[in-house]
């Protein structure tokens, strides 16, 4: 691993994004639009205060999952990954490069969406904005890590896109967004407890309801961060220098 | 330190349960341009992948510049260009070259040098996706030249190029060899064989001839190398029968 190569990789990925204005526009614009839509569909400030922050974490997670899984799949199919694997680039250099580049992109995304939600849409947050930004950054990095991992199991871009609903939607249903986890049947509850998004949603709920850093909030953040590291390590294991 | 840039001993590779390379043994001397010739599907790409160390092999050894193929010390000393151009389509030529130069630890000026060497100096600021097929191919070759590697492995580098550009690239290859670089270049067109100092003729996963172009012509009594190739196959058939 080398910091110079990791930074060069992150810069290269950001340059690729910079050439693709429409993707950048969609990354920032779509969640903003959805947030505005949610506010007016719910039409009650209390309900928006309840669901708004959770979506603030789910957007960067989902978007970064899709963007990362497609981007790494393209590296695999275009031959650039094989080329990099013949060079002195460590597997972690590539993964951390992706995490860094997409983490920064996620910060811009969350910055814009939070600004719109907290000012124009009147979202009421008890916890601090900085904790919100930190949590959403973790959410984005979790998306990057799982996206990297998922791309290893996709042969085509069609498959990669389908992994989004496969990885994300069940987690969303089980995360306690629609039905609280303690009201689920035991089996479902076990599954929900094993999924990282559940902790993310709980942390966001905690942040909405309480000021300051609570024990639950810290524990949930640690779980999300742990899953991110685990995802990156598993992702690294799927990158092979030698292939059949 | 061995006398050869590449030394292959009893190399066997199977892909999808089928043997693609059958116990190959050969050497490539330092500072020469060696052509790997043979029809499409004969195992050229697999052999090249084994030399750069990205191919899983069943048995045998591949020694490159005195180390096992794929060794970490070789990652700066071997340049490899695959048949399909492996560059980022959404980056300009310069951005591509600068990124790979950074990965290799080559200095920034190296990106401009290799772009000139492959004749892409004027297209440096073009996004790779907007390049012609031939230009894209040369951009991919340029990446392999970064950091002045001692061994270059080029898989079908001249496909889709007009005769003038092809001639220019072959001149570049010989110039590099003159500076001490070893080149292993594959092709399926026989008229390129005459430009190599040594030829490895491949067919169905076997090396059927390993000689200089002149010696091959003399041995088979054929005027051109295409005929010589056919003669070699014929002679082998007789031996087998």
């Amino acid at each position: 691993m080398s910091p110079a190569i990791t930074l060069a990789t992150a810069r290269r990925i950001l340059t690729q994004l910079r050439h693709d204005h429409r993707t950048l526009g969609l990354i920032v614009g779509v969640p903003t639009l959805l947030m505005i839509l949610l506010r007016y569909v719910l039409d009650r400030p209390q309900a928006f205060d309840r669901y708004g922050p959770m979506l603030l974490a789910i957007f960067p997670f989902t978007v970064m999952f899709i963007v990362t899984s497609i981007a790494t799949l393209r590296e695999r199919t275009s031959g650039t990954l094989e080329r990099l694997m013949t060079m002195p680039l460590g597997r972690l250099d590539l993964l951390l490069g992706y995490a860094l580049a997409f983490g920064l992109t996620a910060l811009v995304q969350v910055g814009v969406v939070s600004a719109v939600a907290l000012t124009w849409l009147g979202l009421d947050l008890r916890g601090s904005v900085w904790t919100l930004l930190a949590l959403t950054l973790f959410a984005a990095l979790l998306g990057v890590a799982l996206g990297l991992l998922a791309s290893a199991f996709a042969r085509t871009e069609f498959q990669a896109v389908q992994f989004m609903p496969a990885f994300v939607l069940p987690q969303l249903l089980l995360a306690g967004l629609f039905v609280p986890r303690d009201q689920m049947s035991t089996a479902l509850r076990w599954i929900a407890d094993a999924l990282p998004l559940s902790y993310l949603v709980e942390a966001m709920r905690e942040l909405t309801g309480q000021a300051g850093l609570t024990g639950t909030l810290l524990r949930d953040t640690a779980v999300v961060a742990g899953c991110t590291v685990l995802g990156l390590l598993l992702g690294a294991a799927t990158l092979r220098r030698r292939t059949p | 330190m061995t006398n050869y840039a590449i030394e292959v001993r009893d190399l066997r590779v199977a892909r999808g349960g089928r043997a693609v390379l059958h116990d190959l043994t050969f050497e490539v001397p330092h500072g020469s341009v060696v052509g790997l010739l043979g029809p499409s599907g004969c195992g050229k790409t697999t052999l090249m992948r084994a030399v750069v160390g990205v191919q899983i092999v069943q048995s045998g050894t591949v020694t490159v510049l005195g180390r096992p193929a794929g060794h970490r010390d070789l990652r700066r000393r071997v340049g490899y260009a695959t048949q399909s151009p492996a560059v980022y389509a959404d980056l300009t030529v310069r951005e591509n070259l600068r990124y790979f130069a950074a990965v290799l630890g080559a200095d920034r000026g190296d990106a401009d040098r290799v772009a000139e060497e492959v004749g892409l100096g004027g297209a440096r600021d073009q996004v790779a996706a907007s390049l012609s097929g031939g230009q894209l191919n040369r951009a991919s070759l340029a990446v392999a030249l970064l950091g002045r590697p001692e061994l270059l492995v080029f898989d079908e580098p001249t496909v889709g190029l007009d005769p003038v550009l092809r001639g220019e690239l072959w001149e570049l290859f010989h110039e590099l060899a003159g500076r001490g670089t070893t080149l292993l270049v594959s092709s399926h067109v026989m008229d390129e064989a005459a430009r190599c100092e040594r030829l490895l003729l491949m067919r169905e996963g076997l090396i059927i001839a390993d000689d200089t172009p002149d010696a091959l012509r003399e041995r088979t009594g054929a005027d051109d190398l295409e005929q010589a190739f056919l003669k070699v196959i014929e002679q082998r058939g007789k031996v087998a029968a």
Side-chain angles (χ1 to χ4, degrees):
Chain A
M1 226 199 93
S2 123
I5 296 180
T6 306
L7 285 178
T9 304
R11 236 186 82 182
R12 183 263 296 175
I13 296 159
L14 287 173
T15 312
Q16 284 179 290
L17 270 183
R18 218 182 52 223
H19 279 289
D20 187 355
H21 299 146
R22 196 174 296 175
T23 295
L24 266 186
L26 287 168
I27 286 178
V28 175
V30 171
T32 312
L33 193 73
L34 286 173
M35 207 55 151
I36 297 169
L37 205 57
L38 180 76
R39 166 67 185 83
Y40 292 103
V41 167
L42 291 173
D43 208 27
R44 280 181 304 133
Q46 303 92 314
F48 184 58
D49 286 346
R50 185 176 136 73
Y51 291 108
M54 291 184 221
L55 284 177
L56 267 182
I58 286 166
F59 288 141
F61 170 76
T62 315
V63 171
M64 292 308 147
F65 179 92
I66 304 175
V67 174
T68 313
S69 54
I70 300 279
T72 35
L73 182 71
R74 283 208 308 208
E75 292 250 20
R76 286 175 205 270
T77 51
S78 70
T80 48
L81 181 67
E82 182 173 290
R83 169 159 251 163
L84 288 172
M85 290 286 108
T86 66
M87 292 184 176
L89 167 132
R91 296 184 289 183
L92 275 182
D93 287 327
L94 185 68
L95 295 182
L96 293 181
Y98 267 103
L100 207 59
F102 287 146
L104 278 174
T105 315
L107 271 187
V108 175
Q109 176 196 53
V110 171
V112 172
V113 185
S114 313
V116 170
L118 291 170
T119 57
W120 173 20
L121 302 176
L123 182 75
D124 194 14
L125 196 71
R126 295 269 168 77
S128 94
V129 178
W130 297 111
T131 320
L132 175 79
L133 283 181
L135 260 182
T136 45
L137 181 64
F138 277 121
L141 292 179
L142 181 68
V144 169
L146 294 185
L148 283 166
L149 188 58
S151 79
F153 300 99
R155 289 278 161 80
T156 66
E157 296 194 5
F158 285 148
Q159 292 175 7
V161 183
Q162 313 262 12
F163 273 131
M164 196 284 282
F167 264 74
V168 178
L169 289 185
Q171 290 207 64
L172 215 54
L173 287 174
L174 289 165
L177 200 60
F178 303 102
V179 178
R181 268 189 288 155
D182 48 24
Q183 286 174 26
M184 291 175 191
S185 70
T186 323
L188 285 182
R189 169 95 211 243
W190 279 347
I191 302 173
D193 285 352
L195 297 172
L197 212 58
S198 308
Y199 298 90
L200 192 62
V201 165
E202 191 178 67
M204 289 312 264
R205 182 173 292 149
E206 199 70 9
L207 185 68
T208 331
Q210 332 270 330
L213 296 169
T214 64
T216 316
L217 185 61
L218 289 175
R219 189 206 61 192
D220 290 344
T221 313
V223 172
V224 172
C227 288
T228 306
V229 173
L230 189 69
L232 283 176
L233 290 179
L234 286 174
T238 68
L239 297 175
R240 301 246 178 251
R241 288 207 191 259
R242 282 180 191 271
T243 48
Chain B
M1 188 73 207
T2 57
N3 298 322
Y4 298 108
I6 306 172
E7 249 186 295
V8 175
R9 292 272 166 275
D10 307 316
L11 174 67
R12 175 183 286 265
V13 175
R15 296 181 82 174
R18 223 183 95 248
V20 228
L21 299 181
H22 309 276
D23 304 309
L24 301 187
T25 295
F26 67 91
E27 297 90 25
V28 170
H30 277 290
S32 57
V33 183
V34 174
L36 185 59
L37 279 280
S40 176
C42 70
K44 299 189 297 285
T45 299
T46 308
L47 178 56
M48 295 191 128
R49 282 171 46 86
V51 169
V52 295
V54 296
Q55 175 68 49
I56 295 177
V57 305
Q58 266 56 50
S59 58
T61 57
V62 182
T63 312
V64 176
L65 305 171
R67 303 210 178 269
H71 191 279
R72 63 167 56 233
D73 290 356
L74 294 174
R75 286 180 197 149
R76 273 171 234 273
R77 298 170 66 198
V78 178
Y80 171 47
T82 48
Q83 193 171 349
S84 56
V87 291
Y88 297 99
D90 44 6
L91 292 182
T92 65
V93 173
R94 194 195 299 257
E95 287 162 347
N96 265 296
L97 292 173
R98 287 216 169 142
Y99 171 57
F100 287 112
V103 171
L104 289 163
D107 57 86
R108 278 172 82 87
D110 221 32
D112 290 341
R113 174 186 66 88
V114 295
E116 292 292 344
E117 277 191 335
V118 299
L120 277 182
R124 256 189 295 230
D125 291 316
Q126 237 173 292
V127 173
S130 73
L131 297 174
S132 72
Q135 285 176 317
L136 200 59
N137 219 341
R138 280 180 285 149
S140 190
L141 288 184
V143 175
L145 297 176
L146 286 165
R148 302 181 190 273
E150 293 156 60
L151 170 68
L152 289 167
V153 179
F154 289 156
D155 199 357
E156 305 264 2
T158 57
V159 168
L161 296 184
D162 71 62
V164 180
L165 275 173
R166 263 214 280 175
E168 282 173 13
L169 274 186
W170 276 100
E171 267 169 44
L172 172 66
F173 296 166
H174 283 288
E175 202 185 300
L176 290 166
R179 285 186 236 150
T181 311
T182 309
L183 289 98
L184 181 64
V185 181
S186 79
S187 175
H188 66 276
V189 275
M190 281 297 154
D191 65 350
E192 295 202 321
R195 300 177 187 267
C196 301
E197 285 152 43
R198 246 196 125 69
L199 292 176
L200 293 166
L201 295 187
M202 269 189 94
R203 194 163 185 262
E204 291 169 357
L206 291 167
I207 289 182
I208 57 171
D210 176 1
D211 226 328
T212 64
D214 285 341
L216 205 65
R217 273 187 287 244
E218 204 174 310
R219 183 152 68 87
T220 54
D223 296 332
D224 68 272
L225 287 162
E226 178 108 35
Q227 288 301 320
F229 192 16
L230 288 173
K231 283 260 167 73
V232 170
I233 295 169
E234 215 172 277
Q235 283 165 7
R236 284 179 66 88
K238 274 180 201 151
V239 172

